[in-house]
Amino acid sequence: MSYKKWVIENADREKASAVSEKLNIDPFISYLLAARGIDTELSATEFLSDSIRLISPFSFKDMDRAVERINRAIDSEERICIYGDYDCDGVTATSLLFTFLESMGADVIYFIPDRLTDGYGMNNNAIDKIQSLGTNLIVTVDNGISAIDEAEYIYSLGMELVVTDHHQIGEKLPRAEAVINPHREDNELSFRDFAGVGVAFKLACALYDGDVDDLLEQYADLVAIGTIGDIVPLVSENRSLVKAGLKLINNDSRLGIAVLKDLACSKDKELSSGDIAFQICPRINAVGRMDKASVAVELLISDDYETATVKAQQLCDENEHRHQVENNIAEDIKNIISENPQLAEDRVIVIAGKGYHKGVIGISASHVAEVYGKPAIVIGIDENGEGTGSARSIEGFNIFDAISSCSDLLTHFGGHPSAAGLGVKEEDIPEFRRRINEYASSHYSVMPMETLHIDCKLSPFYLSVDLSDNISRLEPYGADNRQPVFGLFNMTLKSVTPVGDGKHIRFEAVKKGKIFKIVMFRKTAEEFPYKTGDIIDVAVKISKNLFKGKYYLSIQAVDVHKSSSDFDRYFLEKSDYQLFMLGEKNKTQLYPDREACSQIYKFLKHNKGWAYTDDDLYFALEQCVTLGQLYFALDAFEEAGLIKRGAKIELNQVSQKADLDGTNVLKTLKGRL
């Protein structure tokens, strides 16, 4: 498993106490707020308030021009086409603006590109289809800001364009009657991190003559789902919009969402932002990944129960299909790394496979990055040898810059510091892998370490349904307002049980005679490197579950460490090893002497090999050798024929004593040191 550095927040207790007294709120809630920088009476009041204060839509540059052009189209009975996107944000934005303009009496249609045939954003073939339907005005949602050439093509066909988008702006704006984007420098905005659906909602507010509260009652649910799905910060106005939207969702105000909720979740459960993120959004995204996202729009705008039920079931079926495809790719990636362990040792993991579904490779890349704690790129190769790749990074590593450095090898690429997409021919993948790792070595002599922020240390005896209720005042959770994470220390591991068809585990940990049951998702029993009796520290989130009319506490492990581990030493030794491999440092602590080799080999022999990672082995050895010594010793063992390395370390049968000092690994190492 990959290891994260735990950072325990250190809030100002005096400020937290003052806020608690002034606002008469739970001191523990005040402390958690202070740990997030919300440590004044005003900021805490604004954060906890249920009132909604919306920024004027006319604070967006060009909003007045967009309103004028759309109103003219409505009055002249011109056909308007909303050009959306196939993800959750784009689908909800399309549904919102389509429904709103239809209610305004507009002649309006919508178009959602197909992920597999159209790709992301605007393209000329789609524009031709839209023009053939008699369209006069195209209004984009959640895309269009980079459609420079496509905008010119739209005007060449006699149509006009209004762009609403929230993505970063390039060197120039597309030709349009109006370009509405919160990242324009000439906006007069105090908050800019809206999702695409949030920008579409602002346009609806600007077009509406009545009380904006009416629009919140009609559309806040769509805004909430798209905002949560796009993982934009859940602070400021986004937080208010999501709060309002959750109320609508839990009151079943929209037929399509109510039907989907009944199929995806417990009917009796009140949904949180986490439930939306993990139950509703994936189903909307799945139909865009595996089939046509327009099905999701049809669900969200439906007012017929039978139609909504069919569409909702289709979303659930496609989500199940997505799971199956995803599992197949995950199994293939596991086999590839098992046969080529060096791939997992690279700074940037690049995996390529035949026939990987384009709609799932992004999820697959996220899983690889999560498991190994490194940037990962998963490439699917089609029957023509064309590769489509999706990249996901770790905090502190700009994957877009890394991919850009290899642009001459790519057919196309684009993205952000944390995620990107690319095209590459099959024959160029080995060189791309070499070059991007060369870039990583030259620009990141020490790779960024992953961190996990712990809100506070907590005795497990304080965990309760009441505590879960108290901290729910911090909801809705999401980007920049994460669910609280608590550190439980010096727990004794009692048992580990596979759950969920073996994909997850539930383990029992005991402290002072009391047993706590903790679930850990996406971690199998075979991947969990701890054994009964180990003393562990557990980072957890808590929630409550309803079962047979009664609420029970649910404890979810986010990360697990061995209590005796020295992580400052671990990360320092990892840095030393990385620098040494770049030729920047020579450290004698890297050489595995006879005693170190003996300890490592005896441990492997006692355990009949090792089924986990090399770093897991380092901690299992109680850090009796340095990390570098372990890495080089294992390399020497393999060269000498003592072990075989793949998905696990296996001991070979040997008839004579191995000459480790004579291996090329250790001779070369000794020569450098």
Side-chain angles (χ1 to χ4, degrees):
M1 59 188 287
S2 65
Y3 287 90
K4 299 179 177 71
K5 184 176 180 64
W6 291 11
V7 177
I8 299 174
E9 303 292 354
N10 188 20
D12 188 316
R13 293 181 180 274
E14 288 187 9
K15 287 184 177 180
S17 178
V19 168
S20 173
E21 290 180 12
K22 288 178 180 177
L23 299 183
N24 192 29
I25 58 176
D26 189 303
F28 188 58
I29 299 301
S30 294
Y31 181 84
L32 294 178
L33 288 172
R36 293 153 195 255
I38 304 169
D39 55 11
T40 66
E41 184 178 356
L42 177 60
S43 62
T45 299
E46 289 182 345
F47 185 87
L48 295 173
S49 173
D50 286 330
S51 64
I52 298 176
R53 291 188 299 172
L54 301 180
I55 301 166
S56 168
F58 292 100
S59 299
F60 286 78
K61 184 70 174 177
D62 277 5
M63 185 65 82
D64 54 343
R65 296 178 60 183
V67 169
E68 187 279 327
R69 182 63 187 92
I70 292 171
N71 277 331
R72 179 153 45 92
I74 295 172
D75 293 341
S76 304
E77 297 184 354
E78 297 176 79
R79 173 158 288 182
I80 302 170
C81 180
I82 300 164
Y83 196 115
D85 187 30
Y86 43 66
D87 68 358
C88 190
D89 187 16
V91 164
T92 51
T94 302
S95 303
L96 186 158
L97 200 54
F98 173 81
T99 307
F100 172 76
L101 290 178
E102 193 175 52
S103 73
M104 295 274 288
D107 178 5
V108 60
I109 60 174
Y110 63 85
F111 177 85
I112 303 281
D114 185 289
R115 180 189 291 266
L116 300 181
T117 59
D118 295 318
Y120 171 76
M122 306 192 85
N123 68 84
N124 289 355
N125 289 335
I127 293 167
D128 286 337
K129 294 177 192 174
I130 291 169
Q131 196 255 357
S132 72
L133 296 172
T135 300
N136 304 100
L137 176 65
I138 296 176
V139 181
T140 71
V141 290
D142 193 31
N143 75 98
I145 197 66
S146 60
I148 307 301
D149 294 336
E150 291 81 4
E152 293 296 338
Y153 187 64
I154 286 169
Y155 278 86
S156 75
L157 296 177
M159 295 184 290
E160 293 182 334
L161 176 67
V162 168
V163 172
T164 78
D165 199 354
H166 73 119
H167 294 98
Q168 294 297 319
I169 299 171
E171 294 181 0
K172 60 183 289 191
L173 297 177
R175 179 183 177 184
E177 304 307 294
V179 177
I180 302 169
N181 187 305
H183 299 294
R184 287 186 63 164
E185 293 182 1
D186 45 3
N187 289 322
E188 297 178 356
L189 294 173
S190 57
F191 178 74
R192 295 174 183 267
D193 292 322
F194 293 97
V197 70
V199 180
F201 178 70
K202 286 296 186 183
L203 175 59
C205 290
L207 287 162
Y208 189 60
D209 290 332
D211 191 332
V212 172
D213 286 344
D214 294 341
L215 294 186
L216 282 170
E217 285 296 321
Q218 294 178 64
Y219 301 114
D221 51 354
L222 294 175
V223 179
I225 292 172
T227 298
I228 292 169
D230 215 55
I231 321 180
V232 292
L234 284 196
V235 296
S236 189
E237 189 164 324
N238 283 346
R239 177 175 169 81
S240 296
L241 290 168
V242 169
K243 270 190 170 184
L246 287 172
K247 289 180 181 177
L248 295 185
I249 291 167
N250 285 308
N251 287 332
D252 292 338
S253 63
R254 188 176 304 274
L255 176 63
I257 295 175
V259 173
L260 180 60
K261 187 179 78 169
D262 286 348
L263 288 174
C265 314
S266 169
K267 291 185 179 182
D268 299 326
K269 183 178 182 181
E270 183 168 299
L271 300 193
S272 66
S273 57
D275 297 317
I276 300 297
F278 292 106
Q279 300 295 335
I280 302 300
C281 293
R283 285 169 167 78
I284 294 174
N285 278 326
V287 75
R289 294 179 188 280
M290 313 305 295
D291 193 12
K292 295 189 182 298
S294 56
V295 175
V297 178
E298 291 164 13
L299 168 68
L300 296 177
I301 67 176
S302 176
D303 57 7
D304 177 76
Y305 181 78
E306 288 187 9
T307 300
T309 301
V310 170
K311 300 299 179 183
Q313 187 61 57
Q314 194 170 341
L315 264 63
C316 292
D317 291 344
E318 291 297 349
N319 191 51
E320 184 61 34
H321 180 206
R322 188 264 302 174
H323 272 302
Q324 294 170 359
V325 172
E326 182 187 325
N327 290 339
N328 291 340
I329 294 176
E331 190 62 31
D332 195 56
I333 289 174
K334 185 177 179 180
N335 292 335
I336 289 172
I337 291 178
S338 175
E339 294 170 7
N340 305 275
Q342 177 57 43
L343 292 174
E345 296 176 18
D346 287 344
R347 291 179 173 229
V348 179
I349 300 176
V350 180
I351 303 289
K354 297 276 189 181
Y356 289 176
H357 196 290
K358 292 179 183 179
V360 178
I361 54 175
I363 301 174
S364 301
S366 293
H367 292 169
V368 175
E370 179 184 345
V371 169
Y372 292 96
K374 297 178 178 183
I377 302 172
V378 174
I379 302 170
I381 305 166
D382 67 18
E383 63 276 7
N384 299 316
E386 298 288 339
T388 299
S390 192
R392 296 293 184 271
S393 196
I394 59 173
E395 185 178 351
F397 186 97
N398 191 317
I399 193 67
F400 179 75
D401 286 349
I403 289 171
S404 299
S405 72
C406 309
S407 60
D408 57 302
L409 292 171
L410 307 176
T411 58
H412 65 270
F413 70 98
H416 307 284
S418 59
L422 59 91
V424 61
K425 293 187 179 300
E426 182 177 8
E427 61 267 24
D428 291 328
I429 293 174
E431 178 63 9
F432 171 71
R433 179 183 292 113
R434 186 191 70 78
R435 287 261 300 275
I436 199 166
N437 275 284
E438 188 177 78
Y439 173 91
S441 296
S442 61
H443 288 75
Y444 298 86
S445 53
V446 174
M447 287 289 284
M449 60 183 173
E450 287 194 288
T451 56
L452 175 64
H453 292 276
I454 309 286
D455 286 86
C456 65
K457 294 182 178 181
L458 197 66
S459 166
F461 296 95
Y462 284 105
L463 299 180
S464 66
V465 170
D466 287 342
L467 178 62
S468 178
D469 286 337
N470 281 344
I471 65 174
S472 68
R473 292 200 68 184
L474 303 180
E475 292 197 46
Y477 302 128
D480 287 9
N481 184 44
R482 55 182 173 74
Q483 185 176 351
V485 176
F486 304 116
L488 313 180
F489 290 80
N490 299 310
M491 310 272 286
T492 302
L493 183 62
K494 190 171 185 294
S495 66
V496 180
T497 306
V499 294
D501 296 327
K503 297 175 185 176
H504 320 292
I505 57 171
R506 178 182 291 112
F507 61 88
E508 293 183 334
V510 61
K511 189 163 187 176
K512 295 182 179 178
K514 184 173 180 180
I515 296 173
F516 300 87
K517 294 182 178 181
I518 305 172
V519 66
M520 191 169 193
F521 295 117
R522 303 194 66 81
K523 178 71 68 177
T524 67
E526 291 75 25
E527 295 166 339
F528 194 65
Y530 306 109
K531 63 182 185 299
T532 301
D534 282 347
I535 309 300
I536 57 175
D537 302 333
V538 190
V540 302
K541 296 177 180 179
I542 64 169
S543 59
K544 63 180 185 179
N545 287 334
L546 182 64
F547 181 69
K548 292 185 177 180
K550 184 178 179 180
Y551 283 106
Y552 295 87
L553 184 70
S554 173
I555 309 174
Q556 176 194 340
V558 180
D559 199 13
V560 182
H561 284 171
K562 214 169 184 179
S563 295
S564 59
S565 302
D566 183 342
F567 279 91
D568 288 335
R569 174 184 161 184
Y570 165 74
F571 287 112
L572 178 62
E573 291 177 0
K574 194 150 195 154
S575 297
D576 287 343
Y577 175 79
Q578 290 176 357
L579 290 169
F580 179 82
M581 296 304 289
L582 293 177
E584 295 185 22
K585 268 190 178 182
N586 288 340
K587 288 246 181 181
T588 54
Q589 297 98 315
L590 294 171
Y591 190 87
D593 58 19
R594 188 178 298 275
E595 176 61 23
C597 288
S598 175
Q599 286 180 298
I600 297 167
Y601 190 73
K602 283 180 181 177
F603 183 91
L604 291 175
K605 197 169 182 180
H606 175 75
N607 287 275
K608 298 178 181 179
W610 186 246
Y612 312 104
T613 69
D614 294 351
D615 288 23
D616 293 332
L617 177 57
Y618 168 78
F619 288 109
L621 285 161
E622 301 289 348
Q623 297 174 286
C624 69
V625 298
T626 70
L627 192 63
Q629 285 176 324
L630 174 63
Y631 288 165
F632 284 119
L634 293 175
D635 288 343
F637 290 172
E638 186 172 30
E639 184 184 337
L642 294 175
I643 63 173
K644 178 183 177 183
R645 295 163 87 181
K648 58 184 179 179
I649 298 174
E650 300 178 64
L651 295 176
N652 292 328
Q653 294 293 329
V654 290
S655 56
Q656 57 186 23
K657 192 173 182 179
D659 178 18
L660 294 177
D661 289 330
T663 60
N664 290 326
V665 170
L666 295 192
K667 284 195 293 186
T668 302
L669 180 60
K670 184 177 286 187
R672 277 195 59 187
L673 296 173

